[in-house]
Amino acid sequence: MVGIYIGSTAAAAGKNLACMALGLVLGRDGRSVGYMKPYGQRPRMVDDRTGDIDAMLVQEVLGQNADPEVVTPVVEPANIRAMSLRGGNALERVGAAYTALSRGRDVMLVGGTGSLFHTGRARGLDGLALVRRLDLRVVLVERYHPHPEGGGIDHDAILYAADVLGDRLAGVLLNDLPESYQRDAEEVLVPYLAEHGVRVLGLVPHDPLLHAIRASDLAVRLGGRLVCGGKGSQRLVEGFLIGTMQVENFMSHFRRHANTATIVGGDRTDLQLVALEGQCPCLVLTGNMPPDELIRQRSEQHGAPVIVVREDTYTVARKMEEILNSQKLRDLVTIRRGADIVAGALDRAALLAQTGIPKGENR
């Protein structure tokens, strides 16, 4: 039996989706695949049993129904006041759960939480401790980070992880790569990492729908209220623009961005109207100022929901960026789409060679 830890050097890299994709691919090839997420930070109660909501979702996709308290032996909320930071035998509990879940399996997937080297350290459950205790190989998932002056993959973080993990590192999946970065990744980054002994197991392209969020969910996450345009509450938002420029410039800029919400001050009726007439999927008004009657009418006509929030435009923009970067997959259609994208980018031969996974019945 081979155990694989799916981790990342930073949070929100796509580890859950990678677990789903790897589990589905290996399962379709005839292997018996088990799964666990030792340390969770998103608790959920099901039939008086506490589990991690992300781990439950991965189990659902993989068609498994193990006890959530065994799949995730330690679940703590992100709020430090609600945490239990002292004492306990957390690592021993994880080890016992891993032994139970791995019986009869060809492959055991162990999903990481947050950062490989930091998250869970207070309980002795950081990724490095888990890898050593459970004797796991590691697949890193590293996500492209956008930047106004040119984003990229944090190759320094990958090389540091490679130095620390040594032979345990099976390889890295480079995730969420925009089309503009693909050639650089193929021609520069992959050879560079190979020179340093790091095998790239796949280049996963960016798909905006995987990070989209419904307008109704966005209102909840922003702590706002949807005041009109309710018939469009299920419209998807993939990005956002900040409406702080002159109307003429804003109109030109806005038309180049589809499925993009507009964040604008509640007093800027001119920009609000331009956004709605330009088929904006969602309008976010800051400063706790409700729209005037004209905006309400246009919102209903176009089916474009209007969300009113208390904070200023800058604060809301920061929140929006965090929400879209960490948006959790919940729609099964979207999950299957994402799993197929990862599976299509995965170098299966390299994965098998680097991890020692046994051949499946269909291979």
Side-chain angles (χ1 to χ4, degrees):
M1 193 274 296
V2 175
I4 302 175
Y5 183 88
I6 293 88
S8 60
T9 60
K15 295 183 288 295
N16 292 321
L17 184 59
C19 283
M20 297 171 195
L22 290 176
L24 291 173
V25 166
L26 295 171
R28 289 167 186 161
D29 287 344
R31 298 174 183 83
S32 176
V33 181
Y35 165 77
M36 76 177 299
K37 183 176 183 179
Y39 180 73
Q41 292 181 321
R42 291 172 58 83
R44 180 180 178 182
M45 290 287 294
V46 176
D47 297 330
D48 297 325
R49 310 289 283 178
T50 301
D52 178 84
I53 189 170
D54 294 323
M56 292 179 184
L57 178 61
V58 175
Q59 276 214 99
E60 181 180 358
V61 172
L62 299 183
Q64 301 180 8
N65 59 356
D67 185 338
E69 292 188 348
V70 177
V71 172
T72 309
V74 180
V75 183
E76 292 179 329
N79 184 349
I80 193 169
R81 290 186 179 275
M83 283 185 178
S84 175
L85 299 178
R86 295 184 177 180
N89 53 355
L91 198 55
E92 287 74 12
R93 285 161 53 196
V94 168
Y98 180 81
T99 298
L101 291 169
S102 62
R103 290 193 185 100
R105 301 293 191 180
D106 298 316
V107 183
M108 191 68 188
L109 300 178
V110 180
T113 298
S115 164
L116 172 72
F117 298 115
H118 305 119
T119 307
R121 190 170 181 83
R123 298 299 302 274
L125 295 177
D126 57 276
L128 189 58
L130 292 168
V131 166
R132 290 171 173 168
R133 171 64 174 81
L134 304 178
D135 191 22
L136 306 173
R137 301 302 303 280
V138 178
V139 171
L140 282 180
V141 183
E142 296 299 315
R143 185 177 180 183
Y144 175 92
H145 292 285
H147 190 277
E149 298 180 359
I153 296 289
D154 190 347
H155 54 275
D156 287 326
I158 294 174
L159 294 182
Y160 175 76
D163 287 342
V164 175
L165 293 169
D167 292 340
R168 292 188 183 276
L169 179 60
V172 58
L173 272 173
L174 304 183
N175 190 28
D176 203 22
L177 305 182
E179 185 176 356
S180 61
Y181 189 75
Q182 285 278 347
R183 186 172 178 179
D184 288 343
E186 293 171 359
E187 297 180 359
V188 180
L189 185 57
V190 172
Y192 173 79
L193 292 175
E195 290 175 3
H196 290 78
V198 179
R199 181 66 178 264
V200 174
L201 301 176
L203 303 176
V204 183
H206 171 75
D207 187 328
L209 289 181
L210 298 185
H211 307 289
I213 184 172
R214 290 184 178 87
S216 58
D217 294 331
L218 180 61
V220 174
R221 295 286 297 274
L222 289 175
R225 61 189 191 279
L226 201 157
V227 297
C228 54
K231 66 181 181 181
S233 63
Q234 298 305 298
R235 296 182 69 173
L236 292 176
V237 173
E238 300 173 12
F240 67 92
L241 291 174
I242 302 175
T244 58
M245 58 189 75
Q246 295 297 317
V247 173
E248 296 79 8
N249 296 333
F250 179 65
M251 186 180 300
S252 173
H253 191 67
F254 179 77
R255 287 171 177 167
R256 298 196 301 269
H257 298 78
N259 300 326
T260 301
T262 299
I263 303 173
V264 61
D267 58 341
R268 291 299 304 270
T269 303
D270 53 346
L271 294 182
Q272 296 167 26
L273 188 59
V274 169
L276 291 174
E277 296 300 335
Q279 304 304 311
C280 168
C282 178
L283 201 58
V284 180
L285 307 187
T286 62
N288 202 29
M289 297 181 64
D292 66 18
E293 188 58 33
L294 176 60
I295 297 301
R296 288 178 180 272
Q297 291 176 3
R298 291 291 191 269
S299 167
E300 298 295 345
Q301 289 173 4
H302 293 294
V306 175
I307 300 169
V308 175
V309 295
R310 291 182 176 276
E311 290 93 347
D312 61 88
T313 300
Y314 175 77
T315 301
V316 175
R318 291 288 301 272
K319 278 189 174 182
M320 278 283 286
E321 186 174 17
E322 293 174 1
I323 290 169
L324 292 173
N325 283 340
S326 64
Q327 173 63 8
K328 300 293 183 180
L329 300 171
R330 288 291 174 262
D331 187 300
L332 287 178
V333 174
T334 304
I335 288 169
R336 293 190 181 98
R337 176 189 179 98
D340 286 342
I341 291 173
V342 175
L346 180 67
D347 185 340
R348 296 193 194 186
L351 176 69
L352 300 182
Q354 294 293 106
T355 60
I357 294 174
K359 291 185 177 181
E361 296 177 1
N362 299 334
R363 298 287 291 177

